[in-house]
Amino acid sequence: MTQGVLSFPLTSFHDDGSLDPDGFRTHVAERIATAPGAVFPACGTGEFFSLDEDEYRQVVTIAVEEAGGRLPVVAGVGYGWAQAARFARIAEEAGADALLVLPHYLVAAPQDGLVAQLEQLAARTRLPLIAYQRGQVAFTAASLRRVAAIPGVIGLKDGHSDLDRLQRLTLAAPDGFLFFNGAATAEIQARAYATVGVPAYSSAVHAFAPEIANAFFTALRDRGDTGDTGDRGDRGDRGDRGDRGDKTVDRLLRDFYVPLVELRDRVPGYAVSLVKAAARLRGLPVGPVRAPLTDPSPTDLADLRTLLNTGLDLVGAAL
């Protein structure tokens, strides 16, 4: 999962808000065709919080069928451990390879409770678990040691972007424990995360512009920021690639990713709504978001179209 962008596909809905399985199949198949490191259906970008159990089963099943064993399928689960276990059973039956444990619902909890939540879920599924710390979930180094000792817990996705805390967690973890950059628009902080030993990251942009997402990942790899240790030529060649990678990363950040974040921050929920809108601009069959999210305003949609054209132009692609 460190050898390519982590893809978080959108869940397709019809205009009346009902699930569109055929649209989702097309969407996820096209994401998989661009060779991501893994596909994560029914997670935050996929509006897990809006799916009932039957819809969830369809989404995960389709993702597994389209992946065809070529790459890992990591399904989202969430709420309290009892409900998470119900979704975990569905994902297991559907053939998922692992689970991303989204933050629990509503309440703040002490460290003992955060650990117990994972212990309870791990005892009820055979699938490996990746914990997701974000919002009200934030582990201390001591708790992370306990989490890593739970059979079946294989990694942690971080959405807090507190690099001091994250460095303490990576140092506390045993060898082989996985870490992922799960910040909103993770590319913005990808270089910073790599400096504390967390090169792998999720990409919402991959859901609508894999050309941009993959160009950014390649540029990071050429800089040496993705953990790729493969043979890329002699030292001089790597230096040239690194220089080109730096320029590409800076250009994409300055002209596409930073403006995207500024647009995203205009309205709560745009972290998903803008992604879906951008996918629709490219003709992808993803449909609208479900309430409580709202689709972008006409003004914001026009700004998104302009920005998307800019980003695609930067990587030699077109809308």
Side-chain angles (χ1 to χ4, degrees), residues 3-20:
Q3 300 306 307
V5 172
L6 303 180
S7 179
F8 285 67
L10 301 154
T11 298
S12 299
F13 299 122
H14 294 292
D15 288 342
D16 65 0
S18 61
L19 184 70
D20 178 6

PDB file of all heavy atoms in Angstrom, residues 3-20:
ATOM      1  N   GLN A   3       3.182   1.699  -2.387  1.00  0.00           N
ATOM      2  CA  GLN A   3       3.745   1.800  -3.729  1.00  0.00           C
ATOM      3  C   GLN A   3       2.838   2.546  -4.710  1.00  0.00           C
ATOM      4  O   GLN A   3       3.097   2.551  -5.911  1.00  0.00           O
ATOM      5  CB  GLN A   3       4.047   0.397  -4.262  1.00  0.00           C
ATOM      6  CG  GLN A   3       5.036  -0.366  -3.396  1.00  0.00           C
ATOM      7  CD  GLN A   3       6.337   0.399  -3.151  1.00  0.00           C
ATOM      8  OE1 GLN A   3       6.970   0.838  -4.101  1.00  0.00           O
ATOM      9  NE2 GLN A   3       6.710   0.564  -1.901  1.00  0.00           N
ATOM     10  N   GLY A   4       1.791   3.154  -4.221  1.00  0.00           N
ATOM     11  CA  GLY A   4       0.904   3.928  -5.072  1.00  0.00           C
ATOM     12  C   GLY A   4      -0.044   4.745  -4.233  1.00  0.00           C
ATOM     13  O   GLY A   4      -0.159   4.553  -3.013  1.00  0.00           O
ATOM     14  N   VAL A   5      -0.721   5.672  -4.871  1.00  0.00           N
ATOM     15  CA  VAL A   5      -1.715   6.501  -4.196  1.00  0.00           C
ATOM     16  C   VAL A   5      -2.815   5.611  -3.625  1.00  0.00           C
ATOM     17  O   VAL A   5      -3.247   4.651  -4.255  1.00  0.00           O
ATOM     18  CB  VAL A   5      -2.323   7.504  -5.198  1.00  0.00           C
ATOM     19  CG1 VAL A   5      -3.495   8.248  -4.591  1.00  0.00           C
ATOM     20  CG2 VAL A   5      -1.265   8.484  -5.674  1.00  0.00           C
ATOM     21  N   LEU A   6      -3.278   5.920  -2.426  1.00  0.00           N
ATOM     22  CA  LEU A   6      -4.387   5.192  -1.826  1.00  0.00           C
ATOM     23  C   LEU A   6      -5.688   5.830  -2.301  1.00  0.00           C
ATOM     24  O   LEU A   6      -5.916   7.027  -2.085  1.00  0.00           O
ATOM     25  CB  LEU A   6      -4.287   5.215  -0.303  1.00  0.00           C
ATOM     26  CG  LEU A   6      -2.974   4.654   0.268  1.00  0.00           C
ATOM     27  CD1 LEU A   6      -2.982   4.713   1.787  1.00  0.00           C
ATOM     28  CD2 LEU A   6      -2.735   3.223  -0.208  1.00  0.00           C
ATOM     29  N   SER A   7      -6.530   5.047  -2.951  1.00  0.00           N
ATOM     30  CA  SER A   7      -7.721   5.567  -3.611  1.00  0.00           C
ATOM     31  C   SER A   7      -8.957   5.388  -2.745  1.00  0.00           C
ATOM     32  O   SER A   7      -9.242   4.281  -2.272  1.00  0.00           O
ATOM     33  CB  SER A   7      -7.928   4.851  -4.949  1.00  0.00           C
ATOM     34  OG  SER A   7      -9.077   5.323  -5.600  1.00  0.00           O
ATOM     35  N   PHE A   8      -9.692   6.480  -2.560  1.00  0.00           N
ATOM     36  CA  PHE A   8     -10.924   6.471  -1.772  1.00  0.00           C
ATOM     37  C   PHE A   8     -12.086   6.828  -2.702  1.00  0.00           C
ATOM     38  O   PHE A   8     -12.424   8.001  -2.869  1.00  0.00           O
ATOM     39  CB  PHE A   8     -10.817   7.460  -0.610  1.00  0.00           C
ATOM     40  CG  PHE A   8      -9.957   6.962   0.505  1.00  0.00           C
ATOM     41  CD1 PHE A   8      -8.591   6.799   0.333  1.00  0.00           C
ATOM     42  CD2 PHE A   8     -10.505   6.624   1.735  1.00  0.00           C
ATOM     43  CE1 PHE A   8      -7.789   6.322   1.351  1.00  0.00           C
ATOM     44  CE2 PHE A   8      -9.717   6.144   2.768  1.00  0.00           C
ATOM     45  CZ  PHE A   8      -8.347   5.988   2.577  1.00  0.00           C
ATOM     46  N   PRO A   9     -12.701   5.824  -3.333  1.00  0.00           N
ATOM     47  CA  PRO A   9     -13.739   6.118  -4.330  1.00  0.00           C
ATOM     48  C   PRO A   9     -14.990   6.712  -3.707  1.00  0.00           C
ATOM     49  O   PRO A   9     -15.307   6.486  -2.538  1.00  0.00           O
ATOM     50  CB  PRO A   9     -14.027   4.745  -4.954  1.00  0.00           C
ATOM     51  CG  PRO A   9     -13.628   3.760  -3.904  1.00  0.00           C
ATOM     52  CD  PRO A   9     -12.460   4.372  -3.190  1.00  0.00           C
ATOM     53  N   LEU A  10     -15.698   7.470  -4.525  1.00  0.00           N
ATOM     54  CA  LEU A  10     -16.972   8.059  -4.146  1.00  0.00           C
ATOM     55  C   LEU A  10     -18.075   7.024  -4.279  1.00  0.00           C
ATOM     56  O   LEU A  10     -17.993   6.121  -5.112  1.00  0.00           O
ATOM     57  CB  LEU A  10     -17.270   9.248  -5.057  1.00  0.00           C
ATOM     58  CG  LEU A  10     -16.220  10.359  -5.014  1.00  0.00           C
ATOM     59  CD1 LEU A  10     -16.210  11.143  -6.320  1.00  0.00           C
ATOM     60  CD2 LEU A  10     -16.472  11.280  -3.831  1.00  0.00           C
ATOM     61  N   THR A  11     -19.101   7.148  -3.462  1.00  0.00           N
ATOM     62  CA  THR A  11     -20.261   6.280  -3.604  1.00  0.00           C
ATOM     63  C   THR A  11     -21.281   6.967  -4.504  1.00  0.00           C
ATOM     64  O   THR A  11     -21.658   8.112  -4.263  1.00  0.00           O
ATOM     65  CB  THR A  11     -20.892   5.974  -2.236  1.00  0.00           C
ATOM     66  OG1 THR A  11     -19.930   5.288  -1.423  1.00  0.00           O
ATOM     67  CG2 THR A  11     -22.124   5.088  -2.388  1.00  0.00           C
ATOM     68  N   SER A  12     -21.699   6.283  -5.541  1.00  0.00           N
ATOM     69  CA  SER A  12     -22.594   6.871  -6.540  1.00  0.00           C
ATOM     70  C   SER A  12     -24.051   6.814  -6.091  1.00  0.00           C
ATOM     71  O   SER A  12     -24.537   5.769  -5.641  1.00  0.00           O
ATOM     72  CB  SER A  12     -22.458   6.125  -7.868  1.00  0.00           C
ATOM     73  OG  SER A  12     -21.137   6.211  -8.370  1.00  0.00           O
ATOM     74  N   PHE A  13     -24.739   7.943  -6.240  1.00  0.00           N
ATOM     75  CA  PHE A  13     -26.166   8.023  -5.959  1.00  0.00           C
ATOM     76  C   PHE A  13     -26.903   8.557  -7.182  1.00  0.00           C
ATOM     77  O   PHE A  13     -26.359   9.361  -7.952  1.00  0.00           O
ATOM     78  CB  PHE A  13     -26.446   8.946  -4.763  1.00  0.00           C
ATOM     79  CG  PHE A  13     -25.807   8.506  -3.486  1.00  0.00           C
ATOM     80  CD1 PHE A  13     -24.920   9.337  -2.814  1.00  0.00           C
ATOM     81  CD2 PHE A  13     -26.091   7.268  -2.933  1.00  0.00           C
ATOM     82  CE1 PHE A  13     -24.328   8.945  -1.639  1.00  0.00           C
ATOM     83  CE2 PHE A  13     -25.499   6.859  -1.744  1.00  0.00           C
ATOM     84  CZ  PHE A  13     -24.613   7.702  -1.091  1.00  0.00           C
ATOM     85  N   HIS A  14     -28.155   8.126  -7.339  1.00  0.00           N
ATOM     86  CA  HIS A  14     -29.027   8.719  -8.338  1.00  0.00           C
ATOM     87  C   HIS A  14     -29.466  10.104  -7.861  1.00  0.00           C
ATOM     88  O   HIS A  14     -29.278  10.468  -6.696  1.00  0.00           O
ATOM     89  CB  HIS A  14     -30.258   7.835  -8.566  1.00  0.00           C
ATOM     90  CG  HIS A  14     -29.955   6.508  -9.184  1.00  0.00           C
ATOM     91  ND1 HIS A  14     -29.501   6.368 -10.483  1.00  0.00           N
ATOM     92  CD2 HIS A  14     -30.051   5.236  -8.681  1.00  0.00           C
ATOM     93  CE1 HIS A  14     -29.339   5.078 -10.758  1.00  0.00           C
ATOM     94  NE2 HIS A  14     -29.653   4.377  -9.685  1.00  0.00           N
ATOM     95  N   ASP A  15     -30.088  10.860  -8.745  1.00  0.00           N
ATOM     96  CA  ASP A  15     -30.539  12.203  -8.385  1.00  0.00           C
ATOM     97  C   ASP A  15     -31.554  12.194  -7.254  1.00  0.00           C
ATOM     98  O   ASP A  15     -31.675  13.181  -6.511  1.00  0.00           O
ATOM     99  CB  ASP A  15     -31.130  12.917  -9.607  1.00  0.00           C
ATOM    100  CG  ASP A  15     -30.065  13.323 -10.614  1.00  0.00           C
ATOM    101  OD1 ASP A  15     -28.878  13.372 -10.238  1.00  0.00           O
ATOM    102  OD2 ASP A  15     -30.424  13.583 -11.785  1.00  0.00           O
ATOM    103  N   ASP A  16     -32.292  11.091  -7.094  1.00  0.00           N
ATOM    104  CA  ASP A  16     -33.267  11.011  -6.000  1.00  0.00           C
ATOM    105  C   ASP A  16     -32.635  10.552  -4.689  1.00  0.00           C
ATOM    106  O   ASP A  16     -33.323  10.372  -3.686  1.00  0.00           O
ATOM    107  CB  ASP A  16     -34.423  10.083  -6.375  1.00  0.00           C
ATOM    108  CG  ASP A  16     -33.989   8.622  -6.565  1.00  0.00           C
ATOM    109  OD1 ASP A  16     -32.786   8.308  -6.405  1.00  0.00           O
ATOM    110  OD2 ASP A  16     -34.864   7.787  -6.896  1.00  0.00           O
ATOM    111  N   GLY A  17     -31.308  10.354  -4.695  1.00  0.00           N
ATOM    112  CA  GLY A  17     -30.600   9.973  -3.477  1.00  0.00           C
ATOM    113  C   GLY A  17     -30.429   8.489  -3.277  1.00  0.00           C
ATOM    114  O   GLY A  17     -29.743   8.072  -2.336  1.00  0.00           O
ATOM    115  N   SER A  18     -31.020   7.665  -4.125  1.00  0.00           N
ATOM    116  CA  SER A  18     -30.870   6.217  -3.995  1.00  0.00           C
ATOM    117  C   SER A  18     -29.507   5.779  -4.520  1.00  0.00           C
ATOM    118  O   SER A  18     -28.896   6.452  -5.353  1.00  0.00           O
ATOM    119  CB  SER A  18     -31.985   5.488  -4.740  1.00  0.00           C
ATOM    120  OG  SER A  18     -31.940   5.799  -6.126  1.00  0.00           O
ATOM    121  N   LEU A  19     -29.039   4.636  -4.027  1.00  0.00           N
ATOM    122  CA  LEU A  19     -27.748   4.107  -4.451  1.00  0.00           C
ATOM    123  C   LEU A  19     -27.766   3.762  -5.942  1.00  0.00           C
ATOM    124  O   LEU A  19     -28.749   3.229  -6.454  1.00  0.00           O
ATOM    125  CB  LEU A  19     -27.406   2.859  -3.641  1.00  0.00           C
ATOM    126  CG  LEU A  19     -26.032   2.236  -3.906  1.00  0.00           C
ATOM    127  CD1 LEU A  19     -24.923   3.129  -3.382  1.00  0.00           C
ATOM    128  CD2 LEU A  19     -25.945   0.845  -3.259  1.00  0.00           C
ATOM    129  N   ASP A  20     -26.662   4.076  -6.620  1.00  0.00           N
ATOM    130  CA  ASP A  20     -26.491   3.760  -8.037  1.00  0.00           C
ATOM    131  C   ASP A  20     -25.370   2.730  -8.172  1.00  0.00           C
ATOM    132  O   ASP A  20     -24.210   3.089  -8.382  1.00  0.00           O
ATOM    133  CB  ASP A  20     -26.167   5.035  -8.813  1.00  0.00           C
ATOM    134  CG  ASP A  20     -25.929   4.781 -10.302  1.00  0.00           C
ATOM    135  OD1 ASP A  20     -26.129   3.636 -10.754  1.00  0.00           O
ATOM    136  OD2 ASP A  20     -25.520   5.729 -11.000  1.00  0.00           O
TER     137      ASP A  20
END
